[in-house]
Amino acid sequence: MNWDWDKLQEKRQQQQKQGWRAAGKGPWDQREEEETRSESRENENREQRQGGPFGTRPPFDLPKMPKMPKMEGGPRLRWLVLAGLVAWVLSGIYIVQPDESGVVLRFGRYVRTEVPGPHIHLPYPIEQVYKTKVSQVRQTAVGYRAQSVGGVFQQGRVQDVEEESAMLTGDENIINVQFNIQYHIKPDGAVDYLFNVIRPDQVVKRAAEAAMREVIGKNTLDDALTGGRVKIQNDVAELLQSILDRYEVGVQVVAVQMQDVQPPKEVRDAFKDVASAREDKQRSINEAEAYRRDILPKAQGQAQQLVNQAEAYKQTRVRQSEGEAQRFLSVLKEYEKAEDVTKKRMLYETFEEILSKPGMEKLVLPSDAGDKVLPLLPLDAWKQGGQKR
């Protein structure tokens, strides 16, 4: 038996409406009845065009979607949507500070790194920006923790962490080393610092501890306690930088500073005695060195003075001897030219030299008196000279 499904549906709707009227649900207005009649006529026309109720179309029609009710306040809603869209677009504007570097991710994948200044990116969740301070010098401590009172850190008050500070030296001695590391993010290492490793600051600390243990294991106890600290710090900084570069952490090591190097508490008194003896030894060496530096220049100065005086006396005697020899040769040359005149001149010069001395007692005798009298001796002068002695 053939069924007209559309007519059956219309008849059910009419029966329901009549039932609602009988139940007091309220009269249906004329407009609804006209709409129902027009819909039934359209269904009949459609059936005729399709060849009857069981023509080429399927025996059942798809259910009709209910009409959406018209929304009130349409212009206001459009303005709200437009304002939300503008706010979403403007959320992509951001500023990178002078000491920062901006890393942009698109759907979680690295895209670019922005320099300081204003920039814009595709709004969330398409792109995200992570800003990190690349010029800030960060610091981490190994072997100790700074103590605070009321939330304020106190200078010089630290708490020892022996699990980190206890190390073995190259000569098989245990020593407690407390040090800190200063580092900053590389200009091109912001991506590695943010996403390449988990907790990069902790990685830097653990790598620094491993580097210090390796370097201390290659040095003796005396090197760590006395004059080898500078070399140890430089070696640790170099080794730590190579480890961080191999891990691609993206940081640059600025300095490694050894704060305190002490032996274990059990043997600390004995080490203090050794250190005191070493200081006394060094003080004695310094005093001897100071005395040497004081006396040695004086001795060298005196020796040089004596050498200079001897050299001057040598030069004086040589020049004087050369002058006298030259004078004798010149006199000899003149004497050979005129012997009589030269003899008389030399005689006169000798007399002049003798007579010009006022303190000398002079006795003049004629030439023939020497043959008749004994030579006159100055006995009074000899007597006075003997009394003086």
Side-chain angles (χ1 to χ4, degrees):
M1 182 176 180
N2 297 329
W3 293 90
D4 190 347
W5 185 259
D6 293 336
K7 290 182 179 181
L8 183 60
Q9 292 292 334
E10 292 175 3
K11 187 179 291 186
R12 287 181 178 178
Q13 292 178 0
Q14 292 176 2
Q15 292 176 357
Q16 290 176 358
K17 292 178 181 178
Q18 292 176 0
W20 290 340
R21 290 193 189 99
K25 296 295 182 177
W28 291 83
D29 56 2
Q30 185 178 0
R31 183 177 179 183
E32 291 181 355
E33 293 179 357
E34 292 178 355
E35 289 179 356
T36 304
R37 295 193 193 98
S38 63
E39 288 179 358
S40 61
R41 285 195 295 269
E42 289 178 358
N43 292 331
E44 292 176 358
N45 294 333
R46 185 168 59 255
E47 290 175 359
Q48 292 176 0
R49 288 194 300 268
Q50 294 177 356
F54 294 99
T56 57
R57 65 172 187 169
F60 300 101
D61 289 339
L62 296 174
K64 296 180 180 180
M65 298 297 294
K67 294 182 179 180
M68 295 295 294
K70 295 182 180 180
M71 299 180 63
E72 298 182 357
R76 181 183 299 177
L77 180 61
R78 286 195 296 269
W79 282 111
L80 290 176
V81 172
L82 181 60
L85 181 61
V86 172
W88 182 67
V89 173
L90 293 179
S91 65
I93 299 175
Y94 64 98
I95 297 177
V96 180
Q97 300 299 328
D99 60 341
E100 294 179 341
S101 180
V103 179
V104 182
L105 302 182
R106 181 177 299 165
F107 296 115
R109 177 177 291 181
Y110 169 72
V111 178
R112 63 187 180 276
T113 301
E114 298 291 0
V115 298
H119 303 279
I120 187 170
H121 68 89
L122 297 177
Y124 180 85
I126 301 175
E127 289 186 349
Q128 291 179 276
V129 178
Y130 293 87
K131 294 183 286 187
T132 180
K133 297 184 180 296
V134 295
S135 61
Q136 177 184 2
V137 177
R138 306 164 188 265
Q139 182 173 338
T140 182
V142 179
Y144 70 98
R145 301 290 184 273
Q147 292 184 347
S148 62
V149 178
V152 179
F153 289 99
Q154 302 294 322
Q155 184 70 21
R157 299 185 61 180
V158 297
Q159 179 181 0
D160 297 339
V161 183
E162 296 184 357
E163 294 81 5
E164 297 178 356
S165 62
M167 301 182 185
L168 188 65
T169 63
D171 52 356
E172 299 181 355
N173 288 308
I174 297 177
I175 191 172
N176 294 331
V177 181
Q178 299 176 357
F179 65 99
N180 61 52
I181 310 99
Q182 298 177 2
Y183 61 96
H184 64 82
I185 303 174
K186 293 181 179 179
D188 56 347
V191 179
D192 294 336
Y193 182 82
L194 291 173
F195 307 111
N196 199 38
V197 295
I198 300 175
R199 293 181 293 182
D201 296 330
Q202 196 70 14
V203 172
V204 173
K205 180 177 179 179
R206 297 307 179 192
E209 183 179 349
M212 179 62 75
R213 291 184 184 279
E214 181 175 347
V215 174
I216 289 293
K218 296 179 180 179
N219 290 270
T220 62
L221 178 64
D222 293 338
D223 294 336
L225 291 175
T226 55
R229 290 193 179 186
V230 176
K231 182 179 181 300
I232 292 175
Q233 293 176 167
N234 296 334
D235 294 343
V236 171
E238 183 178 355
L239 180 58
L240 176 59
Q241 186 64 57
S242 65
I243 295 174
L244 296 177
D245 292 342
R246 188 164 62 251
Y247 290 167
E248 296 182 356
V249 183
V251 300
Q252 178 67 42
V253 178
V254 178
V256 175
Q257 296 180 349
M258 301 174 67
Q259 300 295 328
D260 190 16
V261 181
Q262 294 289 342
K265 297 179 180 179
E266 294 76 10
V267 295
R268 188 165 295 177
D269 295 336
F271 271 88
K272 287 183 179 179
D273 295 339
V274 174
S276 299
R278 187 181 292 109
E279 291 177 358
D280 294 340
K281 172 186 175 182
Q282 189 64 34
R283 183 176 63 254
S284 300
I285 293 174
N286 294 336
E287 292 176 355
E289 185 68 19
Y291 178 75
R292 184 184 73 85
R293 292 178 180 178
D294 178 63
I295 197 65
L296 186 60
K298 292 181 180 179
Q300 292 176 349
Q302 293 177 357
Q304 188 63 33
Q305 182 180 3
L306 293 176
V307 170
N308 294 336
Q309 291 177 355
E311 186 68 22
Y313 179 75
K314 169 189 172 183
Q315 294 294 334
T316 301
R317 296 298 298 172
V318 169
R319 295 289 186 274
Q320 185 177 1
S321 300
E322 290 177 352
E324 291 179 356
Q326 189 66 28
R327 178 173 174 275
F328 177 79
L329 292 176
S330 61
V331 173
L332 178 62
K333 184 176 180 181
E334 296 298 328
Y335 176 77
E336 291 177 349
K337 292 180 179 179
E339 296 182 1
D340 296 337
V341 176
T342 302
K343 288 181 179 179
K344 290 182 180 180
R345 184 174 61 81
M346 292 177 66
L347 180 62
Y348 295 156
E349 289 178 355
T350 303
F351 285 158
E352 182 179 2
E353 182 180 358
I354 293 173
L355 295 176
S356 63
K357 296 179 179 181
M360 180 182 293
E361 184 179 358
K362 307 170 186 66
L363 181 61
V364 180
L365 296 175
S367 57
D368 55 351
D371 298 336
K372 298 179 181 179
V373 298
L374 294 174
L376 181 62
L377 298 176
L379 299 178
D380 297 337
W382 288 358
K383 184 176 180 180
Q384 292 177 359
Q387 290 179 354
K388 291 180 181 181
R389 288 193 296 269

